[in-house]
Amino acid sequence: MRIVWSCNPSGIAVGIFKSQRLANDDTPYARRVGSGLSDIDSGLRLRYEFSRKFAPYIGVTYQKWFGNTADIRQANGSPTRDFRATIGIRMWF
């Protein structure tokens, strides 16, 4: 789900929320995720549109794993929550 706010004619904030639910464990395969609510990923990106074809952005994202997936990640030595910063450029050709 994405929510878009227009701060001014050129500044735009985009809120992002994603969740993943799985019916079965996928531990023997490369994904290593458990059944049930696997994770929640939410964040915010701020971009400034110089034109419709060029817009640099910055953003932050927080992700947390739950249930069996969190147990699998802990057993592998991976964290069960993650905070990321993002910078980039949105371009159209």
Side-chain angles (χ1 to χ4, degrees), residues 1 24 34 53 75-76 81 85 93:
M1 173 169 63
N24 298 318
K53 295 184 177 187
N76 290 333
R81 58 184 70 197
F93 294 100

Side-chain angles (χ1 to χ4, degrees), residues 3-56:
I3 299 173
V4 178
W5 299 278
S6 181
C7 306
N8 61 41
S10 298
I12 298 172
V14 179
I16 301 166
F17 178 81
K18 296 185 274 187
S19 66
Q20 184 173 354
R21 294 171 262 346
L22 300 164
N24 298 318
D25 286 344
D26 194 15
T27 53
Y29 305 105
R31 291 184 40 184
R32 300 194 192 296
V33 292
S35 61
L37 179 62
S38 173
D39 66 294
I40 291 178
D41 195 355
S42 60
L44 179 68
R45 283 190 181 172
L46 302 171
R47 74 174 182 254
Y48 187 83
E49 290 185 347
F50 290 101
S51 70
R52 295 285 291 166
K53 295 184 177 187
F54 181 77

